[in-house]
Each structure stands twice: as C-alpha cells, then as structure tokens.
Amino acid sequence: MALEDLTRHIILASHSPRRRELLSGLGIDFEVRVIPGIDESYPSGLPPAEIPCYLARKKAEAYRSDIKEDELIITADTVVILDNEILEKPRDRNDAIRMLHRLAGRTHEVVTGVVITAANRQSAFSVISAVDFAALTDKEIRYYVDTFQPYDKAGAYGIQEWIGFIGVQGIRGSFYNVMGLPVQRLYQELKKFSGNSKPGPSENDAF
C-alpha cells in the first residue's frame, strides 16, 4: 500500500455509506466513528462554496478533544449549488421533485470540503465539480424519486444511481467528488501525513 508509512489509525467521521465505500476503495483500513447531533449551521453571509469546508471544520472540532496521538480523523461535507443557492437534502417527495426540475437541463456545482485532523496537525481543502444535466421529463423525475427515494442526498440525487446514468451529460472535475468524497485529492493529502512534507494552507480547487 502506498500509505504504508501512515502509522496513525484513520477514523472516518461520517455516517454516509457512499463516503465509506469511497474511502474503502483506497485500500486503507479505517474505523467509522460518528458523534450524533453536531450542529451544522453556518453564517448566513458565508459564500456557498465556502460552506462545505466551514462545516467540515466544525465537525472536526467536535472530535478534537478526543483525538489520540495515533489517530487521524477525516470529516467532510458536500453541497450542491445552483444559481449561487445551496440545494440541501430534500424535506420530502415534493421537495425532491422540485429540486430535480430545477437541476434538469442546467449546469450546477458540487463542492466537497474535507478536513484531516490529527492531534497536532490539521489540513483542509475543498474540491469543486461542475455537472451538466440533460433535460428530464416529469415522468423520469418522479420515477427516480419514487424508486430511489433520494432524501438523504444533497440536491436530491445520487450520480451513481439511475438518474446519473440517464441524466448526466458531462462532468468537469472529480466524479467521486460528486458522490461525496474527492478520493484522489484525499489520497494526496494523506500521503503528506505519511511523509515528511507538511500540508499547506487550506485551499479551494476549481475544476
């Protein structure tokens, strides 16, 4: 494994099955540890693209007091942005249908913020992907919502599901970022923890 020098015990602080699947794909042993009830509010004036890193840092703070010397915690947050507005997880069926009608035939951005926290170090970054959606019929949207019930997904869709197969015309940036975890960039940042190089300041990656 390319991260053989990473001696810290990795903890994924997320209940998302998609993030667990993606992190597993790196061939890294890790533990899932979730603290329930973390406040995920953010300042009203914060630019939408900065919100994921803000929330990932906020999640990391909830774990900081319990981090052991040999542990490394990964926190993340993903948002869907359309017209400079965040489309969060849908409240119900009608809300999911409404969101998908807004996304259909247009381009939106998916931003994931990731924070890696050790006892004495922290690295933060965000990755942006642009997603082009084809026009979708009301029948297609309702079929997807009723079949897949995407109520736990930002923007009311999962790109790895049926809606992604028939609706996504193109992506500029990381596909896995749209799923919820930019694993290529995360891998590079974890390598910094395994080597002698120190992580740089937080930065935003544009597509």
Side-chain angles (χ1 to χ4, degrees):
M1 183 174 66
L3 294 177
E4 64 272 6
D5 294 331
L6 185 59
T7 57
R8 293 182 176 89
H9 177 57
I10 296 178
I11 297 166
L12 176 63
S14 174
H15 56 69
S16 166
R18 291 167 294 281
R19 291 198 180 111
R20 296 179 194 181
E21 175 187 354
L22 290 172
L23 188 57
S24 295
L26 291 181
I28 298 171
D29 293 329
F30 65 93
E31 168 195 349
V32 174
R33 187 182 300 173
V34 178
I35 297 176
I38 296 176
D39 176 28
E40 296 189 24
S41 61
Y42 50 83
S44 59
L46 196 64
E50 295 180 17
I51 289 172
C53 246
Y54 176 89
L55 291 177
R57 285 185 185 276
K58 198 170 185 180
K59 292 174 184 178
E61 286 303 310
Y63 293 83
R64 184 180 284 276
S65 62
D66 295 325
I67 297 177
K68 298 179 176 63
E69 285 294 328
D70 64 340
E71 291 183 335
L72 184 155
I73 294 181
I74 299 170
T75 53
D77 193 84
T78 301
V79 300
V80 172
I81 302 174
L82 180 69
D83 296 331
N84 206 39
E85 175 189 343
I86 288 182
L87 301 186
E88 299 181 348
K89 296 174 183 177
R91 296 184 301 272
D92 51 30
R93 179 177 183 271
N94 289 337
D95 198 30
I97 292 171
R98 179 189 63 82
M99 285 185 186
L100 289 171
H101 273 295
R102 288 190 62 188
L103 293 171
R106 304 187 63 190
T107 298
H108 64 274
E109 293 181 339
V110 178
V111 185
T112 300
V114 180
V115 174
I116 306 170
T117 305
N120 59 350
R121 292 174 62 181
Q122 187 175 77
S123 175
F125 63 91
S126 63
V127 174
I128 303 174
S129 301
V131 182
D132 302 324
F133 253 71
L136 298 168
T137 66
D138 183 66
K139 184 177 180 180
E140 289 168 336
I141 289 172
R142 290 176 183 273
Y143 167 77
Y144 171 69
V145 171
D146 291 340
T147 303
F148 292 88
Q149 300 183 351
Y151 306 128
D152 64 335
K153 298 176 176 65
Y157 80 94
I159 195 169
Q160 72 280 10
E161 296 176 340
W162 182 83
I163 196 77
F165 297 157
I166 65 105
V168 173
Q169 289 182 315
I171 301 173
R172 290 177 297 286
S174 166
F175 171 85
Y176 298 111
N177 180 54
V178 183
M179 282 184 66
L181 194 65
V183 284
Q184 189 276 335
R185 176 63 186 277
L186 176 59
Y187 177 76
Q188 297 302 320
E189 294 296 325
L190 287 173
K191 283 170 64 178
K192 294 178 182 179
F193 275 81
S194 68
N196 295 322
S197 60
K198 294 182 180 180
S202 303
E203 54 190 71
N204 292 331
D205 285 347
F207 50 84

